[in-house]
Amino acid sequence: MKQLLKTLTETFGPSGYEDEVRKVIAKEIKSLADEIRVDALGNLIARIKPAKNVKNPKKIMLAAHMDEIGVIASHIDKNGFVRFTNVGGTFGRYTLGARVRFLNGVVGIVGYDRLENIDSILPINKMYIDVGATSKNDCPVKVGDFGAFERSFIEMGNRWVAKSMDDRSGVVVLIETMRAIKSSPHDLYFAFTTQEEVSLRGAKSAAYSIDPDIGIAVDVTATGDTPASIKMAVELGKGPCVKIKDSGMISDPRVIDWMIQTAEKGKIPYQREVLVGGTTDASVIQISRAGVMAGALSIPCRNVHSASEMIDVDDMKNSVKLLTGMLSKPISF
Ligand code: CO
Ligand code: ZN
């Protein structure tokens, strides 16, 4: 699991440019799925068919997004400095001093305009990327080039840190769940979605084509366990989170019960999650077509949308256990 997560988090895939990430996943799941397809938006959809002799199997869609937040070059000045804007939730406070890598391999460092107040947090339109150019002509980046944070994966005991744990940790949980499921009474669709960070665009079309009975997103969530953090009842290492509400969705109570009962029967630790800001692919799956029963399983993550997102590997392992338990048995509702 570690090597796969390292490879995936060190692969570049800002929204709309998920190709490299998709290649890694496709190779990994080739032998685990009965059918695999890629749609026009780049979603990778893998199906595991129900066990033979199952009557009226439920169609269940699992979703984890392949894309990560990033930057896009918007202007190159006469001295070769690159001005940029955000792709998704790229915040000033995490971008200052960062390194970014463009898809053509060029790496740059983020500098900033003179500060009036040294303690103020700059918006990213007061920042630039220095790629070592001296003029517009020798600048290896052009307007419209996409980039993302450059940062290697590190291990701190049980806590692993990398860029794009949001949502490559969720991607790995789905892959490991596919590996762990020996047989299911359900018709399972594992969707590795695109463009989540720019308003959940991939999941919309994936949900439309799959047309599931139940949808579950696997994504990261914030924690309330760091100094003077937001008041939130989620801690790193205390188990996967059963989402009850976030700013885009109220989870279906039947799905919440299903998750909690599976966790309790299997003695898997879990946390109840209410996220005040942010949402997941599940929010658009829920309102696809005539509506879908939806819920989400979240992996606690510190420093979400920074280049050093931290997760606890036990939370990932317990997420795989919980999903595998849920998907291997018939559902009572
Ligand atoms: Co995100
Ligand atoms: Zn995410």
Side-chain angles (χ1 to χ4, degrees):
M1 189 151 92
K2 193 202 300 174
Q3 189 51 47
L4 181 58
L5 187 59
K6 177 176 159 62
T7 303
L8 277 167
T9 53
E10 290 180 353
T11 301
F12 286 79
S15 307
Y17 292 79
E18 298 89 353
D19 309 47
E20 293 303 316
V21 179
R22 189 172 49 243
K23 267 184 216 159
V24 175
I25 300 169
K27 192 167 152 242
E28 201 64 37
I29 64 170
K30 209 167 49 195
S31 60
L32 305 174
D34 296 316
E35 287 168 13
I36 296 178
R37 68 174 194 266
V38 178
D39 71 13
L41 264 75
N43 296 301
L44 175 65
I45 299 169
R47 179 180 179 198
I48 296 181
K49 289 185 186 168
K52 288 200 181 72
N53 308 323
V54 177
K55 278 193 203 95
N56 307 318
K58 280 202 165 61
K59 237 193 238 183
I60 305 178
M61 171 179 178
L62 291 308
H65 67 92
M66 296 188 283
D67 63 314
E68 68 193 280
I69 56 160
V71 297
I72 179 170
S74 54
H75 173 255
I76 318 288
D77 78 10
K78 65 179 193 315
N79 296 317
F81 293 103
V82 180
R83 292 284 178 174
F84 63 98
T85 188
N86 62 300
V87 177
T90 309
F91 307 130
R93 67 177 185 278
Y94 288 139
T95 307
L96 204 58
R99 292 179 189 185
V100 298
R101 176 184 290 271
F102 288 91
L103 291 173
N104 64 4
V106 171
V107 175
I109 54 167
V110 179
Y112 50 95
D113 296 352
R114 183 175 59 85
L115 294 166
E116 298 300 333
N117 169 3
I118 197 73
D119 295 320
S120 63
I121 293 174
L122 278 183
I124 62 171
N125 63 7
K126 300 286 185 201
M127 299 181 192
Y128 54 82
I129 300 167
D130 185 346
V131 292
T134 56
S135 75
K136 208 171 186 166
N137 292 335
D138 72 355
C139 183
V141 170
K142 60 184 185 308
V143 169
D145 282 357
F146 278 70
F149 287 134
E150 155 87 7
R151 197 67 69 96
S152 53
F153 175 98
I154 55 166
E155 206 187 329
M156 305 171 174
N158 257 7
R159 269 111 204 243
W160 296 354
V161 181
K163 75 161 181 70
S164 67
M165 282 296 187
D166 175 10
D167 186 27
R168 308 286 157 73
S169 60
V171 165
V172 169
V173 165
L174 285 200
I175 295 172
E176 295 305 319
T177 301
M178 290 178 75
R179 220 189 294 282
I181 284 176
K182 297 296 169 237
S183 151
S184 173
H186 313 295
D187 198 0
L188 303 177
Y189 288 81
F190 294 83
F192 300 93
T193 61
T194 55
Q195 300 193 38
E196 188 272 353
E197 298 290 358
V198 289
S199 63
L200 321 157
R201 291 173 196 165
K204 278 178 200 160
S205 55
Y208 190 93
S209 73
I210 294 168
D211 193 12
D213 299 304
I214 302 171
I216 295 173
V218 179
D219 206 335
V220 299
T221 192
T223 69
D225 61 353
T226 53
S229 65
I230 48 165
K231 296 260 180 265
M232 183 172 178
V234 169
E235 293 173 59
L236 219 59
K238 294 281 167 70
C241 301
V242 175
K243 190 183 292 289
I244 295 173
K245 183 188 179 299
D246 64 23
S247 55
M249 183 181 79
I250 294 168
S251 298
D252 191 298
R254 292 165 290 188
V255 176
I256 296 172
D257 280 352
W258 177 35
M259 294 172 85
I260 289 179
Q261 280 177 24
T262 307
E264 288 182 347
K265 271 188 204 134
K267 298 196 168 34
I268 302 163
Y270 70 93
Q271 310 183 68
R272 295 166 65 85
E273 178 205 350
V274 176
L275 179 68
V276 174
T279 193
T280 72
D281 280 342
S283 66
V284 296
I285 297 170
Q286 186 175 44
I287 53 171
S288 174
R289 291 184 182 244
V292 175
M293 266 188 255
L297 184 151
S298 310
I299 302 161
C301 181
R302 288 182 185 161
N303 318 317
V304 175
H305 287 193
S306 77
S308 296
E309 298 176 326
M310 177 190 280
I311 56 90
D312 188 299
V313 64
D314 285 340
D315 292 335
M316 285 184 64
K317 288 181 183 159
N318 284 318
S319 300
V320 174
K321 254 195 214 168
L322 179 52
L323 277 179
T324 306
M326 289 163 64
L327 301 176
S328 301
K329 293 188 190 79
I331 303 173
S332 54
F333 55 81

